[in-house]
Each structure stands twice: as C-alpha cells, then as structure tokens.
Amino acid sequence: MHCFCTRYIIPVLAMAVLMLTSCEVEEYDLKNMNADSLMIETALDAPIGSVNLTLKDVFRHRGSSGSIVTMDSIYEISKMIDEKDIPLPLTAITGTDISASDTIKGVDFGNYFGKGEILDSLEDVKLKLRIINKLPFNVKLELLFLRDDTVGFDYNVNLPIVEQKEIKSLKQSLSVKSASIDKKTHEVLEADYSDATFEFSGKDSKMLQKVNHIKVNYHLAMPLDGSLYLDEKYGLEVSLSAYMKARLLLND
C-alpha cells in the first residue's frame, strides 16, 4: 500500500501564484497589505493513496472472513493462518462469500488548513476513485473515514492511548462490476476499469480535516449459480485522489 501527501504540491502552487503576480507592470507597497488582501480562491488536485488487494491477501489479512466453497470442500478464510495452507488456485461454486478490508493510513486533509497555514479554509472536496477490478466477482465497497481520538494516557510507556473512531456522516459505498470472464474456462480475461466521485461540502468538508485514515471494506459474493476459477494473483486496486477547493493565504 502506498500513500501520498499533498505537502509537496501546495508549496509549488503557492510559488506559481507568486510568479504570476510578478508579471504586473505597476509596483505596489506590500508593507501595508494585511492577510485578508492576500486571500485568493484556488483548487488542488492531489493523490491521497491506494490499496491493492489480491485473493492471496484475503487469506493473510486477520480481518478477513467468510468462506470459499468448492465441489468437495469449504475453506473458512479466518482459519487459513499458515500461508502454505492457502488453497489457491481452485474453482469456487455458489456459497462462496468473502469479506476483507484494508486501510490507507496517514491521511491528512487538514495539514495545510486553518489559521496560520498556507490554505485558510477548505470549501469543497471531491474524492475521486479509480478502481481496477481483476476479480471474477462483483464487489461492494465501503469507505470509512477514521480519526485518531486520544482516550487516555499509558504511564508505563509515557504515551497517550489512541483509538480510531469512525466519522459516520462521511461513510460512502459503491458497487463495482466484475472482470470479464471466459465462459468456458471461467478464468478472468480482462479487468474492469471504473471511476467514482463523492462530493463533500459544508460541515462534511470540515470533518474531513479531522480524518487520519480511510478504511476500505470489500464484500465479494458468488452469483446465484455457476462456478468461478480463482487464482491468487486476481485482485482489486483502489486509488484515491482529492480535488479540493480552498482559499489560499499568502503570508508575508
């Protein structure tokens, strides 16, 4: 899993604004200009991070649950602790049902927002998803937005006790089509590519500034009949980026 940060993008944007303003012919006395007079509207388009889940990962993640059903066996995912016991590849039949999750950590929408920072206020956010589904399943996705909440202090190690709590008003969900499947071999032929956008404004955009992690939940279920060939390399990739409209504060 790879995470990206906006901290390298914003200073470049501020520099570009300053370069544009330097093209004016007239001269101005900047000493008497206050912060309000240096406020402009701007927008940022920045990567947030991505998660990549393969069927092999499903067995290795402790939070995974469900089962894979074949003609002669039922494999309980939570009991497949040793990697050598992963039963892939195999042909799954109706009854197969899988849940898993992954987390994009270190998310910081609010790093440059607020009084004294480069960006004074966050107006609107569009969270953009690019999904590449190489699984022979339709997938239901949930995005949970979590913040770190200090609930106490551990005097044994002199560190605060931090728990992750969901900001429930920000929760989003969507469905993703399965990859193209060969009707004879039931193997994946071609991945499905799809895009989705979720918009946040008002109170929700302010709550985003408190988010530290984005948890991605997956639910994979077989169709009502038929069979599917499952290989450990089949997977799903979800990439997130944010288009953020804000006010840019150029401090002296």
Side-chain angles (χ1 to χ4, degrees), residues 44-105:
L44 304 174
D45 199 348
I48 299 299
S50 63
V51 288
N52 190 349
L53 183 83
T54 67
L55 284 176
K56 187 175 183 180
D57 292 331
V58 169
F59 285 93
R60 294 187 298 186
H61 288 190
R62 292 183 179 180
S64 299
S65 61
S67 58
I68 294 180
V69 182
T70 67
M71 291 296 293
D72 53 11
S73 301
I74 298 177
Y75 297 97
E76 296 292 337
I77 293 174
S78 61
K79 296 180 180 178
M80 297 288 156
I81 299 175
D82 196 328
E83 188 165 322
K84 67 181 182 182
D85 294 331
I86 296 176
L88 299 171
L90 55 73
T91 299
I93 62 173
T94 302
T96 295
D97 191 282
I98 302 168
S99 293
S101 64
D102 208 341
T103 303
I104 299 175
K105 299 181 180 180

Side-chain angles (χ1 to χ4, degrees), residues 99-152:
S99 293
S101 64
D102 208 341
T103 303
I104 299 175
K105 299 181 180 180
V107 176
D108 194 353
F109 289 98
N111 189 44
Y112 292 96
F113 299 103
K115 187 175 181 180
E117 303 297 343
I118 294 175
L119 296 178
D120 182 64
S121 66
L122 182 61
E123 306 291 338
D124 299 288
V125 177
K126 291 184 179 180
L127 188 63
K128 300 184 292 184
L129 282 72
R130 177 65 166 172
I131 305 153
I132 305 174
N133 188 9
K134 298 179 182 178
L135 295 167
F137 301 96
N138 292 332
V139 181
K140 292 183 179 179
L141 289 177
E142 281 186 339
L143 301 182
L144 307 183
F145 296 81
L146 312 176
R147 70 176 184 182
D148 290 336
D149 193 16
T150 301
V151 296

